[in-house]
Amino acid sequence: MKRVILFFSLIVLFLLSFEVDAKDKVKLKADNLNFDESTHWLIASSNVVLTYGDVEIKANRVCLDTDNDVVWGTGNIQIRRGKDDFYANYFLYDLNKSIIKIKDVNILVEPEGQSKQLYLRAEELVDDGKVKRGKNGFFTSCDHPNPHYGIWANYFEYYPNERILGFNCFVYTPILFVPFGFWTPICFYELGDRRVIWNIPTMGEKKTRGWGAFMQNTIDYDRIDGKDSSVFVDFYEFNKVIDEPEGSREYVVWSTGLGFRHQYKLANNKGA
């Protein structure tokens, strides 16, 4: 009989849900749950999942102040709000104000209708559900562990599906692999509908024999039905063999490539 009671108690704890001073319910699941009667803190650990409205938080350890409706957590944190994923080491969530404060955060941004992902990190971030404001941020579309290009911003504002605004910025984008950067008081990256935008260049090195480094530039314009028209300007390196009197010699040569893709619409038909 004791085993049955214990099993039932565990189910109640693992599927705990309760109301705060708002319309939605907080749902909390974990391997271990403890309630401190002196502080009125609910402490969850191991495989913690907290759900509230459009926010889902996964962490190693979460504490919930049931008197003040405040949650905080540490260790291997993943937060999903809307379509954005946050990865951090610490968070503080005011359930009544629906404001999340995060430290040492990484965000994966997937702009609607665009193929490129954007990687954003910041020392501090405050998310109120509409705007995400951060300090000491960096964003790039390069997925390399050590990005080849990007923008540092002392302060930034991220409007989901619209744009990222950076203030007091340093833009780093090498030209033909020569380090190059410049300061600008403000910069922006459009995530939604846009007329013309020069995307951050993509750099790399081809492994195919005879080819070398490359830099690809994409300028997007005239977005139609979720698709961009684009102009492509590429710089690339290849090995050229030249026959000379003393024998064949191989030279490293740089060249340029130009292309475009235009989206158009005739009557009720789509074309490309």
Side-chain angles (χ1 to χ4, degrees):
M1 183 65 178
K2 290 182 179 179
R3 289 184 179 180
V4 174
I5 295 174
L6 176 61
F7 180 72
F8 178 75
S9 299
L10 288 174
I11 292 177
V12 172
L13 285 174
F14 290 176
L15 300 179
L16 181 67
S17 67
F18 54 93
E19 294 186 7
V20 297
D21 295 337
K23 296 180 180 179
D24 295 314
K25 287 185 177 180
V26 175
K27 296 181 181 179
L28 182 63
K29 298 180 183 179
D31 291 340
N32 302 295
L33 287 168
N34 294 289
F35 185 74
D36 188 326
E37 293 186 1
S38 61
T39 60
H40 291 181
W41 288 2
L42 180 64
I43 303 170
S45 61
S46 183
N47 298 315
V48 182
V49 180
L50 183 145
T51 306
Y52 179 64
D54 65 342
V55 177
E56 181 184 77
I57 299 174
K58 297 179 180 179
N60 293 339
R61 187 174 186 272
V62 166
C63 296
L64 193 153
D65 184 340
T66 58
D67 288 337
N68 299 301
D69 297 334
V70 175
V71 184
W72 63 95
T74 58
N76 196 26
I77 297 166
Q78 179 181 351
I79 302 173
R80 171 165 277 265
R81 187 169 207 169
K83 296 182 179 180
D84 292 325
D85 288 311
F86 305 74
Y87 301 89
N89 296 319
Y90 172 84
F91 78 91
L92 177 68
Y93 187 12
D94 187 323
L95 299 173
N96 292 325
K97 296 180 180 178
S98 196
I99 294 177
I100 308 175
K101 297 180 180 179
I102 313 170
K103 290 186 177 180
D104 298 323
V105 60
N106 290 277
I107 308 174
L108 175 62
V109 180
E110 298 181 285
E112 189 173 349
Q114 297 183 36
S115 57
K116 277 191 176 182
Q117 295 177 326
L118 200 64
Y119 305 91
L120 174 63
R121 65 173 183 254
E123 187 177 300
E124 294 182 9
L125 185 83
V126 177
D127 178 10
D128 63 9
K130 296 180 180 179
V131 184
K132 308 175 197 310
R133 298 176 171 87
K135 295 180 180 179
N136 299 326
F138 175 80
F139 55 96
T140 179
S141 59
C142 178
D143 59 1
H144 193 274
N146 297 307
H148 300 107
Y149 51 85
I151 300 173
W152 283 269
N154 181 252
Y155 170 79
F156 67 89
E157 295 179 352
Y158 165 35
Y159 299 82
N161 297 320
E162 293 184 19
R163 67 186 63 85
I164 297 176
L165 295 175
F167 302 88
N168 191 15
C169 304
F170 181 80
V171 180
Y172 176 70
T173 174
I175 298 177
L176 297 179
F177 295 90
V178 176
F180 176 75
F182 58 91
W183 174 85
T184 177
I186 187 171
C187 62
F188 63 92
Y189 189 95
E190 293 290 345
L191 302 173
D193 293 338
R194 63 259 186 101
R195 301 296 277 172
V196 177
I197 184 170
W198 180 13
N199 293 287
I200 300 173
T202 299
M203 299 173 57
E205 185 175 358
K206 291 186 177 181
K207 302 300 182 182
T208 307
R209 181 179 174 82
W211 294 90
F214 67 86
M215 181 173 71
Q216 298 174 329
N217 296 273
T218 305
I219 301 171
D220 294 331
Y221 66 95
D222 283 353
R223 188 175 179 83
I224 298 176
D225 293 333
K227 296 181 179 180
D228 292 314
S229 294
S230 304
V231 175
F232 306 99
V233 182
D234 298 344
F235 300 97
Y236 57 92
E237 179 186 54
F238 67 95
N239 297 326
K240 185 176 182 180
V241 178
I242 299 178
D243 293 326
E244 297 182 348
E246 54 275 358
S248 298
R249 295 188 62 181
E250 193 173 86
Y251 295 87
V252 175
V253 179
W254 278 94
S255 188
T256 305
L258 178 66
F260 68 93
R261 177 185 60 211
H262 182 70
Q263 306 289 342
Y264 60 90
K265 199 171 185 179
L266 296 177
N268 293 322
N269 300 317
K270 299 177 183 177

